[in-house]
Amino acid sequence: MRAAFHDPTKTSLLVVVQRCRASQPRMIQRTFRSHRQTQNNNNHNNNNNNNNFHRDPGLHWTSVISFPQTVPGPAQVPSRGEQIQKLQQSSSSLSSSSHEEYDLLIVGGGATGAGIALDAATRGLRVACVERGDFASETSSRSTKLIWAGIKYMGSAISGLLSWRTLTNPLQSWQNFHDEIMMVYHCHVERRYMMTKQPHLCHWVPLVVPFYAWHLNPPPLGEPLFAFFPILAPLTFKIYDALSFFTCPSSYLLTKNKAMERFPQLQRKDLKYASVFYEAQHNDARTNLAIAMTAADRGATIVNYVEMMDFIFDDQSDKVVGAVVQDRMTGEEWVVRAKKVVLAGGPFTDALRQREMKELGSNSSDQFQPAVEGASGTHIVLRGGIVPDDLGLLDYQTRDGRFLFILPWQGHTLVGTTDQKDPAQTLHNVPEDEIEWLLEESQKYLELAQPLQRSDVWSAWRGWRPLAVDPHAPPGTTTMSRDHIISEHPVTGVLFIAGGKWTTWRAMAQDVTDRVVARLSLDCTKTCETLDIALHGAEGYSEGLWNQVLAKYKDMDEAMAKHLVETYGGLVWEVLACRRPGGRWDEQRLVPGYPYIDAEVIYACREYACTVEDVLSRRTRLAFLNKEAAQSAIRRVADVMAQELQWSPTVKEQQIVAAQHYIETYGGPKSS
């Protein structure tokens, strides 16, 4: 859910400054930023559609990636080069009647932006989506990896209803309770959709809630009634199950002895019993990419590393009618015309909105009102075995009042998250005190042979979640929302969506597309179809598919086969077809001890991977799991990508340096 606005820090890290303006003129001069001069640039891009602009591939890393015949897309999905060419076609005319004009331009290619592109494309809209970095490279790849239905929100709804405010303002309290419970219910609906339609991306994970006393002091969420949560927990979790109409695995109880048998790492002393309930777990970056690739398959022009540089305004109405965009792989710029522009920038939304207001200039009667309050959440990754391979742990009574999850994930242990209010940024730069807090808090219920030390942290990273408020709502009605908000600027007509959570990506996309169709009065008879859509990789997937992989490739180990199937689903055969001839599977590994192989790097290039960091952070999750292992794999990944994308030695070295700089911002075993 990231924005596509200019970030000088990230640009320098990606070494995009190597554009050599002298040998390759920019397609649009900076004077194009003035919307009053838009008509004077009517013919700026007459020559965009020929492939001769790559004057010197050595001056632009991944410059040949724009040639579709060199880097094909996955089956039935256009290549990145083909998507770029489609996007450029809308700049052939600045007339609003141009047949190349898009109905909708989405800025941001995280889960929400890609989801809007998918929904709009399936309804027959002509839709474009641009993402300034890689898909999911911000918030959407940095979650706790849960498609969760909001057990904490159910608790806070009840807490609000039991507060003194109910006596002084009962109608408002009941309204708040209803709204929050309905939000939880909708999360259950969306979680059921993901588990039913996307089993190749999601699986159930049981969460253990241990109780060491019958009365809690201080009570969770600061609500006195919740001091009796150990007694009320079984009923609470059954109500939680009921919101899913019992379509999730049923919650259950574990006696003390049974709990120790199933979860031997738990502290035994004073343990009364444990409750177990279920949430869904996924590889968030892979899910985001599956949404984007499905949108591309359905006809959306969706592309990464294309940055929105400027808005284009209509001189008479001051409506936004498109944007100037830049391919960050080549430095090329052009205009994308659209009837409606939607900002899906997550915690970066306000930066986009500020640019909109600045360019609107003296014609704007608004005083800028922030819409998003960013909150960073840090996660740490430890070795496997801290919790059982098939059980997670929920700490419902942390010192700062948040829920803390300790989860098995990708053969490791994931602990998160913290909550600090601060502005969003691209780099991780994890605060050391938050790593220490997570280490200390995670051991509260655990009894390990050796206490966890700072050196046990294999990786640490953080993302920013957006809490949103509608700045265009009537006075007195603006409150910070845990749910998403959609707002439209009354002058420019630009829509933005902010807030929400991973679980509700599809519902958020549906709400935005409904609004766009209504605003444009489009002749669109189709209603939302995404509840019936299985995402990229679903076709050909089955739970036992990994056995078929092992049957065909005798020397592959079981862990590698399961990893490939769990990551790519039915596309596993396409990935395996990228294997280079010769050598055993162990020799194909990017780094010892991990199941990632060279064929995945080649396949990643066909799914629009443009940088070494794309592969190490999101196409594989190596950097998220083990910082030092990712650093050791940089050159091998660069070797494979250089051959696949035909990088020059200069470009390859730039990629290596950029990946080293970026991965250094993760936390690791050594304190920064």
Side-chain angles (χ1 to χ4, degrees):
M1 307 178 198
R2 80 181 268 161
F5 71 96
H6 184 63
D7 183 341
T9 303
K10 184 163 188 179
T11 300
S12 62
L13 283 173
L14 291 174
V15 205
V16 186
V17 293
Q18 305 293 333
R19 292 180 184 136
C20 193
R21 291 177 175 85
S23 64
Q24 180 175 327
R26 302 183 75 153
M27 308 309 291
I28 301 176
Q29 300 300 317
R30 260 323 100 206
T31 54
F32 204 98
R33 285 178 181 259
S34 171
H35 68 279
R36 300 303 175 194
Q37 299 182 29
T38 298
Q39 300 302 324
N40 296 330
N41 293 275
N42 208 17
N43 299 314
H44 79 282
N45 201 32
N46 289 340
N47 298 318
N48 262 9
N49 292 324
N50 71 72
N51 280 331
N52 296 322
F53 56 75
H54 298 287
R55 308 275 175 87
D56 182 355
L59 296 173
H60 307 281
W61 44 293
T62 67
S63 55
V64 297
I65 203 167
S66 291
F67 290 101
Q69 64 269 31
T70 303
V71 187
Q76 300 180 346
V77 175
S79 70
R80 182 181 184 274
E82 290 171 322
Q83 296 282 47
I84 291 288
Q85 290 176 358
K86 287 170 60 179
L87 199 63
Q88 289 173 339
Q89 290 173 6
S90 70
S91 66
S92 60
S93 172
L94 293 180
S95 168
S96 62
S97 62
S98 170
H99 70 283
E100 300 291 354
E101 182 184 37
Y102 285 98
D103 295 315
L104 174 62
L105 170 62
I106 304 154
V107 180
T112 304
I116 298 168
L118 172 59
D119 193 337
T122 58
R123 300 199 209 188
L125 274 65
R126 181 170 163 79
V127 56
C129 177
V130 297
E131 162 58 46
R132 69 164 179 166
D134 191 22
F135 300 117
S137 54
E138 295 284 358
T139 302
S140 294
S141 65
R142 306 182 191 186
S143 73
T144 313
K145 319 307 175 193
L146 290 177
I147 301 289
W148 75 311
I151 184 69
K152 181 180 179 181
Y153 300 138
M154 188 175 81
S156 62
I158 296 172
S159 174
L161 190 64
L162 297 175
S163 69
W164 287 107
R165 290 191 301 273
T166 302
L167 296 178
T168 58
N169 195 345
L171 292 179
Q172 186 61 54
S173 293
W174 277 102
Q175 184 63 50
N176 292 342
F177 172 77
H178 172 269
D179 292 347
E180 198 138 10
I181 287 295
M182 288 306 297
M183 180 183 70
V184 176
Y185 168 72
H186 290 137
C187 286
H188 278 270
V189 171
E190 297 303 319
R191 187 185 68 176
R192 183 167 69 247
Y193 154 74
M194 290 296 292
M195 287 302 304
T196 303
K197 298 296 292 186
Q198 323 302 339
H200 63 299
L201 296 170
C202 305
H203 62 274
W204 291 112
V205 57
L207 298 175
V208 173
V209 184
F211 295 103
Y212 291 86
W214 296 110
H215 183 271
L216 303 177
N217 188 27
L221 302 178
E223 173 53 53
L225 180 63
F226 290 173
F228 299 98
F229 183 51
I231 299 171
L232 300 173
L235 175 61
T236 301
F237 291 127
K238 285 302 177 186
I239 295 173
Y240 195 61
D241 293 347
L243 288 171
S244 282
F245 295 102
F246 300 100
T247 56
C248 60
S250 180
S251 58
Y252 59 92
L253 304 180
L254 290 173
T255 64
K256 177 178 180 177
N257 290 336
K258 200 67 175 178
M260 296 307 305
E261 180 182 326
R262 289 288 315 281
F263 202 135
Q265 299 93 331
L266 279 178
Q267 286 189 14
R268 186 178 186 89
K269 183 181 179 182
D270 296 328
L271 179 64
K272 308 302 181 186
Y273 81 102
S275 273
V276 180
F277 73 105
Y278 285 80
E279 296 288 6
Q281 190 177 48
H282 70 146
N283 178 349
D284 50 8
R286 184 66 205 172
T287 303
N288 195 156
L289 189 62
I291 299 168
M293 293 296 101
T294 308
D297 181 35
R298 295 301 181 107
T301 306
I302 181 169
V303 63
N304 57 347
Y305 288 102
V306 171
E307 183 171 5
M308 195 282 291
M309 305 300 291
D310 301 294
F311 291 97
I312 302 298
F313 291 79
D314 178 82
D315 281 341
Q316 281 70 46
S317 65
D318 277 333
K319 294 289 185 185
V320 168
V321 293
V324 179
V325 301
Q326 180 187 83
D327 183 353
R328 295 181 66 193
M329 296 294 99
T330 65
E332 241 191 321
E333 293 185 6
W334 64 92
V335 171
V336 176
R337 294 280 297 187
K339 298 173 185 174
K340 201 73 174 174
V341 175
V342 170
L343 309 180
F348 299 95
T349 296
D350 279 343
L352 286 167
R353 294 180 55 244
Q354 284 178 318
R355 173 173 294 180
E356 175 192 7
M357 293 298 95
K358 182 178 179 181
E359 293 182 14
L360 190 59
S362 60
N363 295 309
S364 174
S365 59
D366 289 358
Q367 294 296 321
F368 181 80
Q369 296 292 327
V372 177
E373 181 178 324
S376 69
T378 293
H379 297 78
I380 60 173
V381 175
L382 312 169
R383 67 180 185 275
I386 305 297
V387 296
D389 292 341
D390 60 347
L391 284 174
L393 177 70
L394 171 64
D395 179 357
Y396 53 89
Q397 200 180 19
T398 60
R399 282 173 292 163
D400 69 352
R402 289 190 55 78
F403 281 14
L404 183 73
F405 293 96
I406 308 174
L407 305 167
W409 185 63
Q410 305 257 325
H412 295 64
T413 303
L414 172 63
V415 182
T417 178
T418 60
D419 185 28
Q420 291 289 334
K421 300 293 188 295
D422 52 14
Q425 65 180 49
T426 289
L427 303 179
H428 296 278
N429 294 326
V430 184
E432 191 62 32
D433 60 336
E434 295 193 17
I435 295 177
E436 295 286 356
W437 185 89
L438 288 169
L439 270 176
E440 183 179 345
E441 191 71 32
S442 64
Q443 299 181 78
K444 185 165 61 177
Y445 299 120
L446 299 177
E447 194 170 285
L448 305 174
Q450 294 291 333
L452 294 173
Q453 305 294 325
R454 179 63 183 79
S455 59
D456 292 317
V457 176
W458 288 8
S459 185
W461 33 273
R462 64 173 174 163
W464 277 260
R465 65 182 66 85
L467 295 176
V469 64
D470 186 353
H472 304 132
T477 63
T478 56
T479 57
M480 198 63 69
S481 174
R482 292 187 181 93
D483 211 344
H484 64 274
I485 61 106
I486 301 170
S487 185
E488 181 176 10
H489 193 282
V491 177
T492 67
V494 172
L495 281 169
F496 76 83
I497 180 166
K501 53 195 69 65
W502 237 116
T503 306
T504 56
W505 70 268
R506 192 213 60 82
M508 294 163 68
Q510 178 179 346
D511 289 349
V512 172
T513 309
D514 286 344
R515 181 81 68 93
V516 169
V517 170
R519 285 290 187 271
L520 296 180
S521 301
L522 294 172
D523 184 17
C524 179
T525 57
K526 287 186 177 180
T527 56
C528 179
E529 299 177 354
T530 49
L531 276 173
D532 298 319
I533 291 177
L535 297 174
H536 199 60
E539 185 176 355
Y541 169 79
S542 64
E543 287 188 14
L545 183 58
W546 62 273
N547 283 312
Q548 299 177 39
V549 173
L550 286 179
K552 182 173 181 179
Y553 299 97
K554 305 295 185 183
D555 62 331
M556 182 184 291
D557 66 57
E558 183 177 309
M560 184 180 291
K562 286 184 174 179
H563 152 70
L564 291 169
V565 170
E566 290 170 0
T567 302
Y568 302 100
L571 296 168
V572 65
W573 304 114
E574 287 192 37
V575 178
L576 292 171
C578 296
R579 181 192 184 187
R580 293 172 175 172
R584 296 179 56 82
W585 284 105
D586 272 348
E587 297 170 355
Q588 303 276 332
R589 296 178 189 271
L590 299 181
V591 65
Y594 286 87
Y596 307 121
I597 56 176
D598 292 344
E600 293 180 82
V601 181
I602 297 171
Y603 187 75
C605 295
R606 302 177 185 182
E607 288 189 324
Y608 303 8
C610 296
T611 74
V612 171
E613 190 265 321
D614 291 346
V615 171
L616 291 174
S617 288
R618 288 167 296 281
R619 302 311 199 279
T620 69
R621 305 314 303 270
L622 190 55
F624 278 77
L625 296 174
N626 190 324
K627 174 182 178 179
E628 292 184 347
Q631 289 172 322
S632 71
I634 288 175
R635 288 197 173 271
R636 177 157 187 162
V637 171
D639 287 341
V640 177
M641 294 186 77
Q643 184 172 342
E644 180 70 8
L645 300 176
Q646 302 176 28
W647 289 342
S648 70
T650 301
V651 169
K652 177 182 169 182
E653 196 58 36
Q654 290 171 349
Q655 285 273 359
I656 289 170
V657 171
Q660 289 170 337
H661 280 303
Y662 187 85
I663 292 175
E664 187 59 37
T665 69
Y666 286 82
K670 298 177 182 177
S671 170
S672 60

